[in-house]
Amino acid sequence: MSQLVIQVNKMKNPRTLRKGYGLPEYLAFCNIRSAMRPVIRAEGYVVALVRPPDANATAYFRAADAVLRRGDRWKSVGLVEFDPLKPKNSMTAIDEALQETKVIILFPSLAAIPDFVRVAADLIVELQAPSLRQIKGVFRWWHRSRLSDEQAERLLALDTDLQRAVARPGRSVGRMLAHLVMRAKETAARPLPESANTEIALRLETMSGYGAARDWGVDLARDITDWKAGLIPWSDVDGGLLLSGPPGVGKTIFAEALANTCGVELVTASAARWQSRGHLGDMQRAMFRSFEDARAAAPAILFIDEIDSFTDRDREESRNASYVRQVINAFLECLDGTVDREGVVVVGACNNPAVIDGAILRPGRLDQHVRLGYPDAEARKGILRMHLRGDLADDDLSRFAEESVGMSGADIAQVVRLARRVARRHRRAIVIDDVLGSLPGRVSLSLEVRRKVAIHELGHAVIAVSTGTGKLWGVSIESRISNDVDRQILGGAVLTPDDWQARDRQSYLDNICILLGGIAAEQVLLGQHSDGASSDLDHATRLAVVIDRHLGMNGLLHSWPAGLDEQRIDEARRYDAALMVRVEKILVEQLDRARNIIQSRRWQIERLLLELVDRGSLSGAEIEETLWVEDKIPLPATPKTRRKIRNR
């Protein structure tokens, strides 16, 4: 049977359910029966159902059970409620249920459905909230009474407890609803907290998590003030910035805050919006119009999203090469040249800056580049306070910082929206438990997993100390992860490079050795490495390509004229077989070197491992003390490291 993914909001008259079932169960029963119409008469099926937002899980579970056991004709049935807080138990229950003839699995969201369920399911349905038609149909069948649209809307707005209280057999629904309306008016007279009705005043000075981008924006605000006062010419003002980073880190919010901080207008545009206008001429006209709007509002910030759509003209070899070239030429004309943009600061945003045409990033255009990452613990607390708008000012947010690892600014804003919704339902001010309760489900990592992560991160740290490369600040591992957050940071070793110095071939090899240190530690202490080392291996491979094809440090002196970027490196890895043979030799040599170092320090690593798993973090000083002071035996070292040892 082919798999279907549909949305359902149609009516299906319910049959008799069970004694004690109330309106929430009847509505859920209608919803599920209507959704399962494509398979309901099949001899067997597996159906994955996503409950409507904010639906009562118990009501839907009881209704699904009634659907499966209708008439008790089917004994071989399986019903599972996926619990994001206990994914292992849920997976086991699903495995057992899939052995039955008819199976329904309930999920809180589409994202929670694991891949093996998607493969096994005959039907995946994202249920919608019960409709007016459904609740009116239930009352005609169950109460033998008719509801007006207004009454139906009021009933649907109630929570499940109130629905049960109102919709009881033998009760006048009209009288009960009238009573609820009077209570609602009394409750409405109690005002919500003032902060619930105020918007966030986005300003860079009060925002967290932007680092160098915030510093640039604050300096820009001062320069624009001086330019308005006639103290400096516009040529002294930074006219362009490129913001890059993964989705959700706050690139769009940054532009709004920047405009507020600078006291100027914000004009928004995007490459996709320009392209949607039609053919080449239409797109160029839309592009010119955005710049004209910004000039008319000058001083202004022109924010252009998806700027990585302007790919490198020299690499475009498709039938669209001419189109791409003309579009980029027009964009460059807008940035400078014949078009005057005095008073207009252009901020471009993208996910992948490596593919942008180099001419766009040259001085005088978008020459400043800041990459935004996911916020750290302090930044997450700052972002939360910003979205709380003064609420919970005296509360300790440390637990939130611990539970929100891997979340972006957009994720945190969503958490606050959910928490405020909970507070509104209870007609009270928001409390910290509302925020914590709105976080994605967190799962404790097993001791085995934490031990593997600790071994991997200690491998990086030990190689860094042993080679004398950079400054080791510390190592940490996480004890819990979020079920609903894709970006999981299980641990990390914090390293910073040495003060500026010319880097020779050995320094690049040392960095490759550090990157492979996690793999080496897993292989030495566990016998094999895991898939969590893929990003380290990818980074090490790229560095080896740079050594060979760009720096002339691997026996070949000719170099690519435009240097190296991610796209060019990827092309070389795919098509240059001879290069990859040389790269493989570098990687093998450095992995062997890392394994030898790890093996020579094995007993110190095992001691550090116990501490790291127990405490969750170790400082760089603690690691160095264990490796150097207690063992007194010098490690295999480069001349630079031996100089450091003598200096100690």
Side-chain angles (χ1 to χ4, degrees):
M1 184 178 295
S2 61
Q3 188 186 77
L4 303 173
V5 179
I6 58 178
Q7 290 187 339
V8 175
N9 202 10
K10 295 183 178 180
M11 173 63 187
K12 177 70 177 179
N13 286 336
R15 302 294 180 91
T16 302
L17 297 183
R18 299 179 181 180
K19 187 175 181 180
Y21 277 38
L23 180 59
E25 285 78 17
Y26 283 105
L27 286 174
F29 183 89
C30 287
N31 230 347
I32 294 172
R33 284 278 300 184
S34 180
M36 291 177 55
R37 186 175 292 123
V39 299
I40 199 66
R41 298 186 182 279
E43 293 184 359
Y45 52 72
V46 175
V47 177
L49 299 177
V50 178
R51 295 191 308 273
D54 303 322
N56 183 281
T58 302
Y60 271 83
F61 186 87
R62 298 179 73 191
D65 185 64
V67 171
L68 280 172
R69 303 182 187 279
R70 178 170 162 256
D72 289 330
R73 290 184 298 164
W74 286 95
K75 300 295 184 181
S76 182
V77 297
L79 175 61
V80 178
E81 169 74 34
F82 182 85
D83 185 355
L85 297 179
K86 299 178 180 178
K88 277 192 175 181
N89 294 345
S90 297
M91 295 295 189
T92 302
I94 291 173
D95 284 336
E96 295 175 356
L98 289 177
Q99 308 305 313
E100 307 297 342
T101 305
K102 289 189 173 184
V103 180
I104 295 178
I105 310 170
L106 295 166
F107 291 93
S109 66
L110 275 175
I113 303 178
D115 290 338
F116 79 94
V117 174
R118 293 178 183 270
V119 173
D122 300 305
L123 189 67
I124 298 176
V125 186
E126 187 176 12
L127 298 171
Q128 302 301 296
S131 65
L132 292 179
R133 182 169 176 260
Q134 282 180 322
I135 193 169
K136 291 168 73 173
V138 166
F139 266 77
R140 280 198 304 272
W141 169 84
W142 181 38
H143 262 269
R144 292 186 172 85
S145 62
R146 293 181 179 274
L147 293 178
S148 66
D149 286 350
E150 183 181 1
Q151 289 175 325
E153 287 178 355
R154 288 176 182 170
L155 275 172
L156 287 177
L158 302 177
D159 61 32
T160 53
D161 291 335
L162 286 175
Q163 283 179 348
R164 294 182 200 280
V166 170
R168 293 171 56 194
R171 284 310 255 318
S172 169
V173 177
R175 187 168 64 250
M176 288 295 297
L177 284 174
H179 180 62
L180 285 173
V181 170
M182 291 184 64
R183 288 192 58 191
K185 289 180 179 178
E186 294 173 0
T187 304
R190 290 176 283 172
L192 286 170
E194 184 178 347
S195 61
N197 299 314
T198 58
E199 292 296 327
I200 304 173
L202 294 173
R203 295 185 64 86
L204 292 180
E205 301 95 319
T206 59
M207 295 175 66
S208 301
Y210 284 103
R214 180 174 62 178
D215 296 340
W216 180 88
V218 172
D219 288 341
L220 176 67
R222 297 192 189 100
D223 289 344
I224 289 179
T225 299
D226 291 343
W227 172 73
K228 287 180 180 179
L231 300 177
I232 61 173
W234 183 255
S235 58
D236 285 354
V237 179
D238 274 343
L241 172 70
L242 174 64
L243 280 179
S244 66
V249 294
K251 298 184 285 291
T252 304
I253 291 179
F254 174 85
E256 184 179 347
L258 177 64
N260 291 337
T261 297
C262 294
V264 301
E265 292 291 324
L266 175 65
V267 179
T268 60
S270 74
R273 201 180 310 161
W274 289 338
Q275 180 116 31
S276 68
R277 298 297 182 181
H279 56 71
L280 176 62
D282 295 324
M283 179 180 184
Q284 290 176 329
R285 277 191 290 274
M287 185 190 303
F288 292 141
R289 190 175 302 115
S290 294
F291 277 85
E292 289 169 1
D293 292 343
R295 286 197 303 276
I301 304 294
L302 174 57
F303 176 72
I304 306 172
D305 204 0
E306 301 165 344
I307 206 167
D308 46 0
S309 299
F310 299 112
T311 54
D312 194 334
R313 293 164 292 178
D314 295 333
R315 295 183 198 151
E316 185 60 57
E317 299 176 353
S318 67
R319 292 181 299 173
N320 299 322
S322 176
Y323 176 88
V324 171
R325 187 172 296 106
Q326 292 181 70
V327 167
I328 295 177
N329 288 340
F331 184 60
L332 294 175
E333 182 182 346
C334 291
L335 287 176
D336 58 12
T338 60
V339 178
D340 178 21
R341 64 177 181 96
E342 181 172 352
V344 176
V345 176
V346 179
V347 176
C350 68
N351 298 332
N352 184 11
V355 302
I356 298 176
D357 190 286
I360 295 173
L361 307 179
R362 287 175 187 160
R365 295 164 182 166
L366 303 187
D367 50 349
Q368 301 291 331
H369 179 198
V370 177
R371 180 166 182 84
L372 299 178
Y374 295 114
D376 59 17
E378 286 303 314
R380 290 195 299 275
K381 288 195 288 187
I383 293 170
L384 176 64
R385 290 205 181 279
M386 179 189 72
H387 287 290
L388 286 172
R389 308 192 290 251
D391 289 331
L392 309 183
D394 298 326
D395 285 68
D396 182 8
L397 304 183
S398 300
R399 185 179 168 194
F400 170 83
E402 178 185 345
E403 298 289 326
S404 60
V405 173
M407 298 186 75
S408 68
D411 296 328
I412 295 171
Q414 172 68 5
V415 167
V416 175
R417 284 194 294 272
L418 293 174
R420 288 197 185 282
R421 184 183 303 166
V422 172
R424 284 196 302 271
R425 285 177 181 167
H426 294 86
R427 307 301 295 181
R428 57 165 171 74
I430 189 172
V431 296
I432 189 62
D433 286 341
D434 296 333
V435 175
L436 298 175
S438 299
L439 284 167
R442 298 281 286 175
V443 179
S444 296
L445 295 175
S446 67
L447 178 62
E448 179 184 1
V449 171
R450 285 188 288 130
R451 184 172 181 272
K452 287 181 179 179
V453 175
I455 288 172
H456 183 95
E457 301 306 335
L458 283 172
H460 293 307
V462 168
I463 300 300
V465 173
S466 301
T467 59
T469 303
K471 169 69 175 177
L472 174 66
W473 293 97
V475 173
S476 64
I477 62 172
E478 295 297 329
S479 60
R480 306 179 74 193
I481 60 172
S482 293
N483 275 323
D484 298 337
V485 176
D486 294 332
R487 304 168 294 274
Q488 300 294 332
I489 305 172
L490 301 185
V494 181
L495 296 160
T496 55
D498 289 322
D499 295 336
W500 189 90
Q501 58 182 344
R503 300 177 64 187
D504 54 17
R505 185 175 190 270
Q506 186 59 49
S507 66
Y508 279 91
L509 294 178
D510 288 345
N511 278 284
I512 292 176
C513 190
I514 292 172
L515 287 166
L516 299 178
I519 296 177
E522 290 187 49
Q523 290 181 352
V524 171
L525 276 74
L526 300 174
Q528 58 186 350
H529 68 271
S530 65
D531 58 358
S534 59
S535 61
D536 294 336
L537 191 56
D538 178 67
H539 194 178
T541 303
R542 291 177 184 277
L543 271 184
V545 173
V546 169
I547 290 174
D548 188 290
R549 297 299 286 117
H550 184 49
L551 300 177
M553 293 179 175
N554 201 35
L556 300 175
L557 293 179
H558 60 277
S559 172
W560 281 321
L564 287 180
D565 56 30
E566 292 183 7
Q567 183 175 350
R568 192 178 288 272
I569 290 175
D570 290 339
E571 291 173 355
R573 291 167 66 176
R574 283 195 298 268
Y575 303 121
D576 193 335
L579 165 66
M580 295 315 294
V581 169
R582 298 191 297 271
V583 166
E584 180 69 13
K585 181 180 178 183
I586 292 176
L587 297 177
V588 169
E589 288 175 351
Q590 294 309 308
L591 181 58
D592 286 342
R593 178 187 174 202
R595 277 197 296 254
N596 289 335
I597 294 174
I598 295 296
Q599 187 63 55
S600 68
R601 318 298 290 181
R602 179 165 184 159
W603 77 267
Q604 291 102 327
I605 294 174
E606 289 176 343
R607 175 173 178 175
L608 290 167
L609 177 60
L610 294 174
E611 289 288 324
L612 181 56
V613 171
D614 181 56
R615 293 163 46 190
S617 64
L618 292 173
S619 68
E622 290 174 310
I623 294 173
E624 289 185 357
E625 181 179 3
T626 300
L627 293 177
W628 294 103
V629 176
E630 294 186 6
D631 189 1
K632 303 291 191 310
I633 301 175
L635 288 169
T638 63
K640 178 173 62 177
T641 309
R642 287 195 288 271
R643 286 195 298 272
K644 288 188 175 184
I645 296 172
R646 286 196 297 270
N647 291 336
R648 289 174 183 266

